[in-house]
Amino acid sequence: MVDVPAHITGTVWKIEKKPGDAVSAGDVLVILESMKMEMPVEAPANGKVDKIMCAEGQAVSEGQTLLTLA
């Protein structure tokens, strides 16, 4: 399992993938909004989305796990 954390404090604006989706390194998984800017969170490696641990509209902290890849 690979944890994918938020790299900034912000709000989850959009979740781009769902559990079971195959992803490649660099694919956008989640878009965070911070200080009126959209900040993409990208897959660090190839894999499949295992669990989503956030929801659209949720406030998240830097380092908080947003999802896991298998």
Side-chain angles (χ1 to χ4, degrees):
M1 292 291 161
V2 175
D3 289 345
V4 181
H7 50 277
I8 57 169
T9 297
T11 301
V12 177
W13 184 71
K14 187 172 184 183
I15 299 171
E16 295 283 339
K17 303 293 182 187
K18 61 184 183 295
D21 284 354
V23 297
S24 298
D27 285 355
V28 175
L29 304 172
V30 176
I31 299 173
L32 299 176
E33 184 276 324
S34 181
M35 299 178 67
K36 299 183 182 181
M37 293 176 50
E38 292 179 16
M39 307 295 289
V41 176
E42 299 175 348
N46 298 341
K48 282 191 177 183
V49 176
D50 183 46
K51 293 181 186 177
I52 296 178
M53 303 166 78
C54 62
E56 291 179 357
Q58 177 183 348
V60 295
S61 300
E62 183 176 356
Q64 180 177 338
T65 299
L66 302 177
L67 52 89
T68 58
L69 299 179

